[in-house]
Amino acid sequence: SVAQNSRPFRVAIVGSGPAGFYTAYRLLTKIQDAVVDMYEQLPVPFGLVRYGVAPDHPEVKNCQEKFTEVATSPRFNFIGNVALGSQLPLSALKPHYDAIVFAYGASKDKELGIPGEEAIRYVHSARAFVGWYNGLPEYRDLAPDLSAGENAVIVGQGNVALDVARILLTDVDVLRTTDISEYALEALAKSRIKRVRVVGRRGPMQAAFTIKEVREMLQLPSVSFDPIPRGLLPPEPVITSLPRPQKRLIQLLTKGSSTHPDEATKSWSLDFFLSPRSLHWSSQFPYHLSHVQFTRNELDPSDPFSPGAKTTPLALSNGLPAWVNIPANIFFRSIGYKSSSLPGFGDLGIRFNDHRGIIPNDGFGRVTSSAQPVKESSTPDGSLSSPLPGLYCAGWVKRGPTGVIASTMTDAFAIADIIAADWKARSSVGDSRISFLNSSTGGSTGLGWEGVRPEAENRGLSPTSWRDWELIDAAERERGRQKGKPRDKFSRVEEMLQFAE
């Protein structure tokens, strides 16, 4: 076993968002001889912290300082501008690492599956819109038309939906001081949107947004909030008995906004108990959205105030479903993100769970395959499965797209601890057959990126390093300084690579 430990422990982390960086941080702390190679398909790091956090919430991006500290370790390598699976096969990595951690988050969004949703104009996912105003290259050319009319409808009542609403309603001059992309500012300056409806299929007690986000919306200057009909809110005795966070949220919604509708130039509302049914186009202006038809819902009367309450469509006295039309010139769906599998998972024996959008794992983050005989059955959910040696997952691709950066951190730390324990068990016993780590015939070469690089070069890839990112970062900050904002991001990969060279 001495020979085995005479080289560093080599880990590849796929994805450079919070899940990836927190896993790297913990591994480098726990295993003194660990060397971490982080792969990212964009030339720049930070994933959803850079491209998902609202530009007017800079404090949420503070974790980037911690990540930058991690990246300065001599035992850390950043390999950007490499799409694993499509540009570089995963099978090229497997022989050279003791462990591979998939932490690449959720790159798709859930769909409603209603007629009209596939329209190219006036219908957008919140994910695409957020990526667009944050300068994500994939959505650089989204070009949402915000000048077609005054009504925006957002389906979904989580914090991302409120981010979209806030960006649409905030004074453009306020946004100019943030790192929002310049082309988004131009489009928002021409926006005609005056009314934003944030629609959910259940009631106020089941909405997913948090107090901080709602309060911020209610305090927007010159923006009024439509009072929620009293009958939709729980009665006073129920409110008093609620846990503190829920109670505060309901009280906040009851109180509403201090801006009177007469003083407001724009308005917003939370509309409850509505499920989208179909999108409809203008008879006057073909290709222009005119309204969305919603089915009305009612909550299960036995437990209407529980967070998990179920809804059923509301039926009229004649037995037909009740429905309502809501005017819309632009429509956003914000019903959650979804991870997708990487090309080449099959070669590693990974059977991606498309339905849940996760990599099958034992609940601790060890990737499992139901195709193998059972060797290890103590999983948190009691299911029988066996780990695929050397493969782990963290973050949204492990547990589904829920939770904030703090919960991702806790999860990533736990996974790093599992990997450290697996490594320790292997080093002390020295028998690779009982290990969770990569023990394919003869184990890993331990070369890491040095072993993979020749393959990347053969394929004509030009990876970016952390030093390249520092050059891009400095250029973005300088561009921002000239415009009085924290940074002005490059929104095209070609522009980034120009500065990296």
Side-chain angles (χ1 to χ4, degrees):
S1 76
V2 183
Q4 243 177 8
N5 271 356
S6 58
R7 65 164 179 80
F9 174 58
R10 293 304 293 253
V11 185
I13 294 179
V14 183
S16 69
F21 264 106
Y22 282 124
T23 304
Y25 167 67
R26 185 75 159 199
L27 279 174
L28 292 169
T29 314
K30 300 267 305 200
I31 305 178
Q32 290 315 304
D33 60 349
V35 177
V36 171
D37 296 337
M38 182 178 281
Y39 290 84
E40 166 58 54
Q41 63 176 348
L42 284 166
V44 297
F46 305 142
L48 216 54
V49 180
R50 178 174 161 100
Y51 292 118
V53 172
D56 55 348
H57 285 174
E59 71 289 350
V60 183
K61 302 185 191 198
N62 288 344
C63 55
Q64 291 181 0
E65 290 164 23
K66 180 82 198 159
F67 301 163
T68 301
E69 202 182 297
V70 173
T72 53
S73 161
R75 296 185 285 131
F76 177 93
N77 301 302
F78 177 74
I79 301 140
N81 201 36
V82 171
L84 287 180
S86 51
Q87 294 180 332
L88 186 65
L90 292 165
S91 53
L93 268 67
K94 188 82 165 52
H96 302 295
Y97 288 100
D98 299 299
I100 298 175
V101 184
F102 296 102
Y104 59 83
S107 63
K108 297 276 173 286
D109 63 293
K110 292 186 185 148
E111 296 183 354
L112 296 161
I114 58 170
E117 185 183 13
E118 65 297 325
I120 295 169
R121 294 183 67 189
Y122 308 113
V123 179
H124 303 285
S125 74
R127 189 198 139 73
F129 187 69
V130 169
W132 170 76
Y133 65 62
N134 275 328
L136 179 62
E138 183 184 350
Y139 297 117
R140 168 66 180 84
D141 299 316
L142 187 72
D145 185 346
L146 307 178
S147 62
E150 299 185 351
N151 294 295
V153 169
I154 304 166
V155 166
Q157 292 185 327
N159 285 341
V160 177
L162 292 192
D163 279 346
V164 171
R166 202 177 60 254
I167 295 293
L168 292 171
L169 294 168
T170 298
D171 183 335
V172 174
D173 288 333
V174 173
L175 293 175
R176 283 187 208 286
T177 60
T178 71
D179 70 356
I180 193 168
S181 58
E182 287 293 304
Y183 58 80
L185 280 174
E186 284 172 38
L188 288 161
K190 297 185 196 130
S191 168
R192 287 176 53 205
I193 293 169
K194 287 199 164 67
R195 172 139 185 68
V196 178
R197 289 173 182 262
V198 183
V199 186
R201 64 190 169 88
R202 297 190 294 171
M205 293 292 297
Q206 290 83 31
F209 45 63
T210 50
I211 293 173
K212 177 184 175 294
E213 267 66 20
V214 175
R215 183 181 293 122
E216 214 176 343
M217 285 291 294
L218 292 171
Q219 290 170 350
L220 283 177
S222 315
V223 177
S224 67
F225 173 68
D226 297 10
I228 296 172
R230 194 70 195 87
L232 298 187
L233 294 162
E236 202 51 52
V238 174
I239 296 178
T240 6
S241 66
L242 289 173
R244 189 176 140 83
Q246 270 188 306
K247 188 194 302 182
R248 283 176 56 207
L249 185 60
I250 296 296
Q251 288 167 341
L252 193 63
L253 292 173
T254 312
K255 198 173 127 196
S257 163
S258 53
T259 305
H260 194 272
D262 298 346
E263 306 152 23
T265 52
K266 296 175 181 173
S267 69
W268 75 289
S269 63
L270 288 166
D271 298 68
F272 299 103
F273 303 114
L274 296 171
S275 289
R277 186 175 162 178
S278 49
L279 295 161
H280 297 265
W281 308 87
S282 161
S283 50
Q284 260 171 303
F285 309 103
Y287 309 116
H288 279 234
L289 192 60
S290 69
H291 63 275
V292 186
Q293 190 171 97
F294 287 90
T295 310
R296 290 187 180 279
N297 300 324
E298 55 185 346
L299 282 173
D300 173 3
S302 66
D303 194 7
F305 305 120
S306 97
K310 299 271 182 282
T311 62
T312 46
L314 178 69
L316 298 168
S317 52
N318 62 7
L320 293 172
W323 52 268
V324 58
N325 287 337
I326 293 183
N329 307 104
I330 191 163
F331 175 89
F332 300 93
R333 65 162 180 265
S334 182
I335 55 165
Y337 290 2
K338 199 171 182 184
S339 301
S340 50
S341 68
L342 294 182
F345 266 179
D347 303 339
L348 302 185
I350 300 174
R351 298 180 167 189
F352 191 80
N353 183 332
D354 281 307
H355 174 64
R356 290 185 58 198
I358 58 167
I359 294 174
N361 64 87
D362 64 356
F364 300 115
R366 296 186 188 104
V367 177
T368 55
S369 154
S370 48
Q372 285 190 318
V374 176
K375 287 197 286 282
E376 169 74 39
S377 58
S378 60
T379 62
D381 63 359
S383 63
L384 298 177
S385 57
S386 63
L388 292 169
L391 302 179
Y392 299 83
C393 56
W396 285 2
V397 77
K398 165 186 177 265
R399 62 178 201 276
T402 54
V404 290
I405 291 173
S407 47
T408 294
M409 176 180 85
T410 313
D411 182 59
F413 281 8
I415 284 144
D417 291 350
I418 288 280
I419 297 171
D422 288 352
W423 176 240
K424 194 171 173 227
R426 169 180 175 157
S427 336
S428 54
V429 181
D431 179 356
S432 63
R433 282 172 310 180
I434 61 155
S435 169
F436 292 117
L437 295 158
N438 186 6
S439 51
S440 52
T441 44
S444 145
T445 65
L447 289 171
W449 172 235
E450 288 71 51
V452 178
R453 191 201 305 258
E455 180 67 28
E457 283 169 1
N458 285 344
R459 290 170 176 266
L461 301 180
S462 42
T464 52
S465 64
W466 194 260
R467 177 77 194 112
D468 294 329
W469 156 241
E470 289 173 334
L471 295 169
I472 295 166
D473 181 37
E476 287 185 344
R477 286 174 191 267
E478 177 50 34
R479 287 181 8 145
R481 197 183 60 78
Q482 294 171 8
K483 293 173 181 158
K485 51 199 286 190
R487 74 169 64 235
D488 181 15
K489 292 181 203 156
F490 297 114
S491 54
R492 303 236 182 251
V493 168
E494 306 75 54
E495 297 175 323
M496 297 174 190
L497 295 177
Q498 241 170 316
F499 274 87
E501 282 154 21

